Amino acid sequence: MKPRIIVCNLGRTGYKIFCLLRQQGAIVVGVNEQPVKGEGSDVVVGSFRAASTLLAAGIQSAHALVLAGNDDATNLAILMQARILNPQIRIISRLFNTNLGQSLDRILPDHTTMSVSALAAPVFTFAALGSRAIGQLRLFNQTWPIHEEFIDPEHPWVGKSLHDLWCDRDRMLIYYIPNNSHLDLVSAVIEGQKLDVGDRLIIATKPSIRTQRFSLYQRGMKFINSLKKFQQHGKKALLITLVLMLTIFLATLTYVSINLDNSLVDSLYFSVGMITGAGGNEKVAENAPDSIKIFTAIMMLVGAGVIGVCYALLNDFVLGTRLTEYLNATRVPQRNHYIICGLGGIGVLIAEQLHRSGYEVVVIDRDPNCRFISTVRSLRIPFVEGDASLSSVLDSVNVRQAEALLAVTSDDTANLEIALSARAIAPHLRMIVRNQDPQFGLMVQQVFDFETVLSPTEIATPAFAAAAIGGRILGNGITADSLWVALATLITANHPFCGQRVRDVATRVDFVPLYIETNSQTIHSWKLLDSLLNPGDVLYLTLPAHRLQQLWHPLSINRLPGNLSPTEKATSDR
């Protein structure tokens, strides 16, 4: 039975999810407050919060509800109304408030919170690291980049056996689309099939963690650069302090010269007290000539001005923004770092992932009070306040020596301006640009020769669609217009796979096993294919989205061609 799915709010993200689900063969109904051009009875027009609208969409018989709007309050209101009308419905909510989403996931059964930013950020990160990822896969508490290998005549894997690729623990084979046959991946691996020109292979690669190692030379250079930054940021304070010291020295020398009976300490004590206004040993100047008394009066006036300016500069440097700017400037990496322009939902997640992987990061944003500033500061990631499209700001973060720049603000025009400014300064710098419109983004990439232009909506849509179809989704992707998903399924005594050998059921259902978790071990590679599935095992696999129902309905797998009786097979062939 095909799942019946309702998608609420057919905006940019919602309509993409709606179209993709329909493309995969699901029975999908859209709900929108305004008519959608080109859509007819498949879209119900009405208020999202109204029970009548949800009833018209078939909420009582629906299997899943996708809340794709960008307003958390509206999504929460629809969620509560839907649960009243159909307590058993599975709900996928798009929420910006991650804490609220986590609480709902814990409290409500069959509820999944998803975020466009959380789904898109890893792909942006992989692009910055040089991987043309088409998706992500969550395995072994790490996020693995997924990419597609198209086997052309120059590809190094031409003629290579899939048997050899299967054995590599740092690489997961996800899906195989041969050019001249319909052979599934597991059968191709067992038979030793060799890759031919035109074949497509989807793989996930284990992410690398960079180990930070600083030599004595690097530490020395960082200290010297810190001194240079201190000189730039504290030049005025140092200059006025020097003027104050010279004024005190001049006064002290004068009082010692006019009367040799005045000790150096008494003269210094009086000079400091007189210039700062604190008072001192007045006898030093009481018996002095009138000219010295006039000199003292002038020093008092000069000292008051110097002290005022000095206190103001020191107060600004220590208590104001100067010290923060200096500390940030000293922490800005000198080379091989990643510059993130825009500290929004995607920007902060990219910064966190790069930082966890051992890479040096610096963040630029116009807003010094943006809501994620505390997050980057807690990670000791340098934050620079300013307009990233200005060359002076880009120079301050050493853009010429950077590894890559990510322009990921919420403004597409600003991202383009930032990328062009950086390209003018550093022509060979890797550019990753965010753009909501994938068609316009493709033109931007071609015209300006940026490495990658990505749309968060395009990246996140398959994950929402896969979650709506069912299962605990670990990853997803689209190849040749077909949606595939990666998920974990618990083998129970009633599961259609229970008691069967992995290689046998994989070839019949056309899924690709990744690994098995048992009570005592994790099973991989060839041992995985020969393993029997027992109750309590957790099987991690990838398969086409339209075959998901076969994981939970024994009838569907029992009626696959490999399990049909001769009479049933003859009937199906006719």
Side-chain angles (χ1 to χ4, degrees):
M1 179 180 177
K2 292 182 179 180
R4 181 180 179 87
I5 301 168
I6 299 174
V7 180
C8 272
N9 198 323
L10 301 184
R12 185 189 297 273
T13 302
Y15 189 65
K16 289 281 185 183
I17 298 169
F18 174 82
C19 293
L20 183 55
L21 285 169
R22 187 166 55 185
Q23 179 183 323
Q24 301 305 311
I27 302 173
V28 58
V29 177
V31 176
N32 203 47
E33 291 185 326
Q34 302 294 331
V36 178
K37 185 178 180 180
E39 299 293 343
S41 59
D42 288 343
V43 176
V44 175
V45 179
S47 172
F48 298 131
R49 300 169 182 256
S52 58
T53 304
L54 294 176
L55 288 170
I59 189 70
Q60 293 177 311
S61 61
H63 297 84
L65 170 67
V66 180
L67 304 177
N70 56 10
D71 181 68
D72 286 1
T74 301
N75 289 341
L76 189 60
I78 302 171
L79 181 153
M80 292 185 290
Q81 187 68 263
R83 272 298 162 91
I84 293 172
L85 297 172
N86 184 351
Q88 307 302 321
I89 193 169
R90 186 172 65 255
I91 299 178
I92 296 89
S93 300
R94 177 189 179 188
L95 294 175
F96 290 86
N97 188 331
T98 55
N99 292 328
L100 173 62
Q102 291 171 1
S103 299
L104 290 173
D105 290 345
R106 287 193 297 267
I107 296 172
L108 296 178
D110 292 325
H111 181 274
T112 302
T113 300
M114 304 187 77
S115 163
V116 171
S117 297
L119 293 166
V123 179
F124 278 85
T125 304
F126 297 141
L129 296 174
S131 172
R132 293 187 177 274
I134 63 171
Q136 55 177 305
L137 183 61
R138 188 70 182 170
L139 294 175
F140 306 117
N141 296 319
Q142 290 182 301
T143 303
W144 295 43
I146 298 173
H147 57 276
E148 181 179 15
E149 294 286 348
F150 178 74
I151 310 301
D152 57 33
E154 305 300 324
H155 198 284
W157 289 356
V158 171
K160 191 175 182 66
S161 172
L162 285 168
H163 175 283
D164 298 332
L165 295 174
W166 179 263
C167 298
D168 191 343
R169 290 284 296 273
D170 292 333
R171 182 189 300 120
M172 288 282 186
L173 302 188
I174 302 298
Y175 209 68
Y176 172 55
I177 306 176
N179 186 36
N180 297 316
S181 70
H182 297 285
L183 199 63
D184 64 273
L185 177 57
V186 173
S187 298
V189 169
I190 295 172
E191 296 176 12
Q193 176 79 10
K194 293 184 178 181
L195 290 171
D196 198 4
V197 175
D199 290 352
R200 294 176 182 271
L201 190 64
I202 309 301
I203 63 173
T205 52
K206 187 175 182 179
S208 60
I209 304 297
R210 175 186 287 185
T211 303
Q212 292 282 1
R213 293 181 179 177
F214 293 102
S215 65
L216 186 61
Y217 171 77
Q218 288 175 313
R219 292 180 184 274
M221 290 302 297
K222 196 164 187 176
F223 176 73
I224 292 173
N225 287 324
S226 297
L227 291 179
K228 290 180 179 178
K229 295 293 184 183
F230 180 81
Q231 183 181 6
Q232 294 173 1
H233 287 268
K235 186 179 294 184
K236 292 181 180 179
L238 286 173
L239 181 61
I240 198 65
T241 302
L242 180 61
V243 171
L244 177 62
M245 294 297 103
L246 288 175
T247 303
I248 293 173
F249 174 76
L250 177 61
T252 302
L253 184 62
T254 301
Y255 294 128
V256 171
S257 300
I258 61 160
N259 188 351
L260 297 178
D261 292 335
N262 293 332
S263 68
L264 180 62
V265 175
D266 286 341
S267 299
L268 176 62
Y269 178 65
F270 175 70
S271 298
V272 172
M274 175 264 298
I275 290 174
T276 60
N281 188 359
E282 303 291 341
K283 292 187 294 184
V284 172
E286 282 180 355
N287 301 322
D290 293 342
S291 59
I292 297 302
K293 292 180 179 179
I294 294 173
F295 170 78
T296 302
I298 294 173
M299 285 294 101
M300 288 180 178
L301 295 174
V302 172
V306 173
I307 287 294
V309 174
C310 186
Y311 281 170
L313 288 175
L314 288 175
N315 181 67
D316 179 56
F317 187 81
V318 176
L319 301 178
T321 60
R322 297 294 181 182
L323 183 60
T324 302
E325 291 177 1
Y326 163 68
L327 293 175
N328 277 329
T330 57
R331 289 201 298 264
V332 171
Q334 298 301 306
R335 59 182 66 253
N336 302 327
H337 55 290
Y338 294 83
I339 302 171
I340 301 172
C341 304
L343 190 57
I346 291 180
V348 70
L349 292 174
I350 296 171
E352 287 179 330
Q353 185 172 349
L354 286 171
H355 180 76
R356 285 197 305 267
S357 299
Y359 297 93
E360 291 191 291
V361 183
V362 60
V363 177
I364 305 174
D365 197 280
R366 291 181 177 182
D367 184 5
N369 300 311
C370 58
R371 63 191 180 115
F372 296 114
I373 185 67
S374 59
T375 303
V376 297
R377 283 178 176 167
S378 66
L379 297 173
R380 298 185 63 81
I381 295 175
F383 173 81
V384 176
E385 177 194 348
D387 185 349
S389 64
L390 300 178
S391 58
S392 57
V393 175
L394 293 173
D395 282 333
S396 71
V397 296
N398 305 314
V399 67
R400 291 178 176 84
Q401 289 78 37
E403 195 75 27
L405 180 141
L406 299 99
V408 291
T409 74
S410 57
D411 187 334
D412 290 352
T413 303
N415 291 334
L416 178 58
E417 184 180 1
I418 291 167
L420 291 175
S421 298
R423 177 54 54 86
I425 300 173
H428 303 294
L429 182 66
R430 188 183 304 127
M431 301 287 178
I432 293 84
V433 182
R434 173 184 177 180
N435 195 290
Q436 291 293 347
D437 187 342
Q439 298 299 325
F440 182 73
L442 181 61
M443 291 189 291
V444 168
Q445 184 172 351
Q446 292 175 343
V447 171
F448 299 109
D449 196 27
F450 296 144
E451 276 68 21
T452 310
V453 179
L454 298 171
S455 167
T457 300
E458 289 291 307
I459 296 170
T461 297
F464 279 89
I469 293 174
R472 180 163 66 93
I473 306 301
L474 305 174
N476 60 86
I478 294 181
T479 305
D481 294 328
S482 178
L483 173 65
W484 57 263
V485 295
L487 72 159
T489 181
L490 175 65
I491 305 300
T492 62
N494 296 323
H495 197 285
F497 296 173
C498 186
Q500 300 193 51
R501 195 177 304 276
V502 171
R503 70 164 68 194
D504 297 334
V505 71
T507 54
R508 288 201 303 272
V509 181
D510 188 22
F511 72 78
V512 179
L514 302 177
Y515 63 96
I516 299 173
E517 282 184 353
T518 68
N519 292 330
S520 58
Q521 62 179 327
T522 302
I523 304 173
H524 304 267
S525 195
W526 292 108
K527 190 177 179 181
L528 166 65
L529 295 179
D530 293 328
S531 297
L532 289 176
L533 293 168
N534 300 308
D537 292 348
V538 178
L539 174 63
Y540 292 78
L541 55 89
T542 62
L543 83 169
H546 65 271
R547 294 182 180 271
L548 272 171
Q549 295 300 312
Q550 296 171 4
L551 298 182
W552 302 290
H553 298 286
L555 181 63
S556 61
I557 189 171
N558 290 335
R559 290 293 181 262
L560 288 174
N563 289 344
L564 295 177
S565 66
T567 304
E568 289 174 323
K569 188 172 183 181
T571 304
S572 67
D573 289 341
R574 288 198 297 268

